[in-house]
Amino acid sequence: MTDRLTPQQRHYVMSRIHGKGTKPELLVRQWLWRHGYRYRLNVKSVPGKPDIVMRKYRTAIFVNGCFWHGHFVELGVESVELGVNSSCCKIPQTNREFWVNKIRRNQERDQRNYQVLHDNGWQVIVVWECQLQPKTIEETMLRVELLLNDNFLALHQPKVVSYASVEESEVTMAAESQPVYGQ
Ligand SMILES: [Zn+2]
């Protein structure tokens, strides 16, 4: 890949990888920690190795760099949870096709990871780098907090139902899981 790049292109790409200021993932972790949320990092047993894992909320958080993960409308892949920003960064005009393909592959891999998590009962929150600017981070993280609380409530709702309705639903489930004989 490096062979294909002019020094200007390489500079552009590196500036996208090593953003100025604090690492986006660290900003999210610090905010969560300050607000009393506890988490684990890069848990290998969870599909897609999310940046932040919150088992209590059964939620995986990905903090995505806008360039590599394609925070663009023009690629046509809708990003989840916290929206799309068409203007946060641009694909270079030179070697455009190369970058579009590369980023599209990254997006497809991301989508596969999110899908596997969903299939395993995890909620996925994607936070984009550009949503963590000093002016936007508080609003972004409050939205994350809302999603976390939603996920927590959804997880713990069954425990709130009365004894009678638990019994009822167990009967229904037993009836549905009757083995089918003679096939
Ligand atoms: Zn962005």
Side-chain angles (χ1 to χ4, degrees):
M1 183 187 92
T2 44
D3 304 0
R4 294 164 178 261
L5 301 181
T6 65
Q8 289 91 334
Q9 284 175 314
R10 189 170 300 116
H11 176 79
Y12 178 83
V13 170
M14 295 316 270
S15 74
R16 293 293 150 190
I17 300 169
H18 308 289
K20 293 188 191 99
T22 316
K23 212 179 156 203
E25 189 192 320
L26 194 58
L27 289 170
V28 173
R29 276 154 49 186
Q30 285 170 341
W31 193 98
L32 289 171
W33 189 269
R34 266 205 318 276
H35 290 77
Y37 292 95
R38 297 298 176 256
Y39 48 79
R40 297 183 62 196
L41 307 174
N42 302 108
V43 182
K44 290 196 177 68
S45 58
V46 177
K49 272 194 283 175
D51 296 312
I52 297 167
V53 168
M54 304 177 80
R55 286 190 185 277
K56 186 176 161 187
Y57 304 83
R58 206 157 173 80
T59 297
I61 300 180
F62 292 86
V63 184
N64 285 351
C66 293
F67 183 74
W68 286 113
H69 295 267
H71 197 195
F72 318 110
V73 171
E74 57 192 297
L75 288 181
V77 178
E78 281 293 315
S79 307
V80 294
E81 309 292 357
L82 293 181
V84 174
N85 184 347
S86 58
S87 57
C88 63
C89 48
K90 293 264 181 281
I91 299 175
Q93 285 305 316
T94 323
N95 274 339
R96 188 175 171 77
E97 201 179 339
F98 167 80
W99 291 113
V100 167
N101 287 332
K102 184 159 190 60
I103 291 164
R104 182 169 285 145
R105 279 198 300 277
N106 290 345
Q107 284 187 317
E108 286 166 356
R109 191 197 53 216
D110 287 342
Q111 295 299 322
R112 278 197 301 274
N113 286 335
Y114 304 158
Q115 190 60 52
V116 171
L117 281 160
H118 267 289
D119 292 347
N120 283 279
W122 287 82
Q123 300 296 323
V124 176
I125 298 177
V126 176
V127 180
W128 293 97
E129 181 186 4
C130 69
Q131 295 168 327
L132 299 170
Q133 304 300 315
K135 278 183 182 167
T136 51
I137 183 169
E138 193 63 23
E139 189 196 330
T140 298
M141 292 309 298
L142 287 173
R143 288 165 73 191
V144 169
E145 188 171 38
L146 273 177
L147 290 168
L148 283 173
N149 289 332
D150 281 352
N151 295 348
F152 185 82
L153 286 175
L155 267 179
H156 293 84
Q157 217 139 32
K159 289 180 182 166
V160 187
V161 297
S162 69
Y163 179 68
S165 58
V166 167
E167 224 173 27
E168 199 179 6
S169 68
E170 273 170 0
V171 169
T172 310
M173 279 170 64
E176 280 171 353
S177 59
Q178 289 281 332
V180 180
Y181 295 106
Q183 283 199 333

